[in-house]
Amino acid sequence: MSRSLWMGDLDPYMDETFINRAFLPISQPLSVKVIRRKDSGQPAGYCFIEFATESEAERVLKLVNATDIPGSNPTKRFRLNRSQAGKMWDVGPSHSVFVGDLDATVTDDRLEDFFSKRYRSVKGAKIMWEERGFSRGYGFVRFSDEAEMRRALLEMQGAQGLGNKPIRVSIATPKSSKTEPAAVAVAAVTTTNTSTTAAAMDTYTQQWLQQQQTQSYDPYAYYQQYYNYYGCYPYLKRLSGLTTQSIT
């Protein structure tokens, strides 16, 4: 656990002072670091907020995540996650599971907690969001152990207790894969059991696979939206030439 939280989907006007004030009704941050691009000086769309203790950071995360940001115009919602900056969670193997049929109450931390209680190798989780902080209804969970990932494909299909609906799972295919995403997903899920094959290729999965095939590949955008949720800030810094400014 960390004393810092990651906050994403920031508008350009959301500087260090604005973010600090947004948290004041709940807690007093020790510092706010907005990540900026070295080439332009413009905000990269996310920041890190440090609190006095790990327990305080966790309390704030549970209390305000997915609620409205005070003073935002138009209104946006907090997109928070536990920060793993500097811990290099991306070192070593990674195996991701696509999770669909998520209701609007499920946040990154809730998705991570739901899986990490059952699987020790969970590295993190990410919900995909629409503009203004509304969930798209699906996300990803990342494992360091492939055997646990494949167990999750079997054991978590139709699992309940995360929001109001049973969840659906299938293997996630990286955008950089040279294999056709749909083929990989079908092949991987088919190796589990017959009952999960049809369920795994649900509407959300098909939409995600179609998105991977039709969108152009932008390394900066891809890693910003995916890997920085799992603590690859040092990698992002090398990749895109980012810098930080802070308020304390």
Side-chain angles (χ1 to χ4, degrees):
M1 193 180 297
S2 169
R3 295 191 304 167
S4 297
L5 297 179
W6 176 95
M7 181 175 177
D9 198 24
L10 301 180
D11 283 339
Y13 71 86
M14 295 180 177
D15 59 11
E16 292 82 0
T17 299
F18 176 91
I19 295 165
N20 187 70
R21 289 175 179 171
F23 282 94
L24 286 180
I26 305 300
S27 184
Q28 174 64 68
L30 294 182
S31 66
V32 176
K33 295 183 179 180
V34 172
I35 309 304
R36 300 178 185 275
R37 295 186 62 93
K38 278 187 176 179
D39 55 359
S40 65
Q42 296 300 309
Y46 63 97
C47 69
F48 296 94
I49 306 101
E50 183 180 5
F51 294 89
T53 63
E54 293 179 353
S55 60
E56 178 64 4
E58 189 71 11
R59 183 185 75 86
V60 173
L61 175 68
K62 299 296 186 184
L63 192 60
V64 307
N65 206 7
T67 65
D68 292 347
I69 302 175
S72 59
N73 185 23
T75 301
K76 300 191 74 169
R77 295 181 177 181
F78 281 102
R79 286 185 55 191
L80 303 173
N81 205 348
R82 301 177 181 99
S83 169
Q84 302 295 343
K87 295 186 178 181
M88 293 300 291
W89 278 94
D90 197 44
V91 173
S94 293
H95 311 276
S96 295
V97 168
F98 171 92
V99 185
D101 279 1
L102 301 177
D103 67 35
T105 65
V106 179
T107 55
D108 294 346
D109 58 294
R110 290 189 61 196
L111 180 61
E112 179 181 348
D113 290 345
F114 189 66
F115 276 79
S116 63
K117 289 176 182 177
R118 297 164 174 80
Y119 308 102
R120 297 182 61 183
S121 71
V122 169
K123 289 185 172 185
K126 178 185 184 300
I127 301 294
M128 301 303 291
W129 303 90
E130 298 282 2
E131 187 70 19
R132 303 297 150 203
F134 294 94
S135 172
R136 294 183 180 180
Y138 64 91
F140 302 90
V141 179
R142 207 157 174 242
F143 297 77
S144 62
D145 185 271
E146 184 178 4
E148 281 204 337
M149 180 272 288
R150 294 195 176 278
R151 274 182 49 212
L153 288 173
L154 288 169
E155 298 170 354
M156 301 301 282
Q157 194 67 254
Q160 299 185 5
L162 180 64
N164 300 318
K165 299 185 294 184
I167 64 173
R168 296 180 183 270
V169 297
S170 65
I171 197 165
T173 307
K175 189 180 280 191
S176 58
S177 173
K178 294 182 180 180
T179 308
E180 287 297 325
V184 173
V186 172
V189 176
T190 304
T191 59
T192 57
N193 62 36
T194 303
S195 64
T196 63
T197 302
M201 287 299 293
D202 56 29
T203 302
Y204 288 122
T205 310
Q206 294 169 18
Q207 290 176 348
W208 178 77
L209 292 173
Q210 182 180 14
Q211 180 184 13
Q212 305 310 298
Q213 291 175 310
T214 58
Q215 286 188 345
S216 59
Y217 180 66
D218 180 349
Y220 173 73
Y222 177 62
Y223 282 104
Q224 181 181 354
Q225 293 177 17
Y226 192 80
Y227 283 113
N228 64 343
Y229 283 78
Y230 302 118
C232 298
Y233 168 61
Y235 181 80
L236 280 172
K237 195 170 183 179
R238 292 195 302 272
L239 177 71
S240 302
L242 303 181
T243 185
T244 65
Q245 294 186 5
S246 64
I247 181 171
T248 57

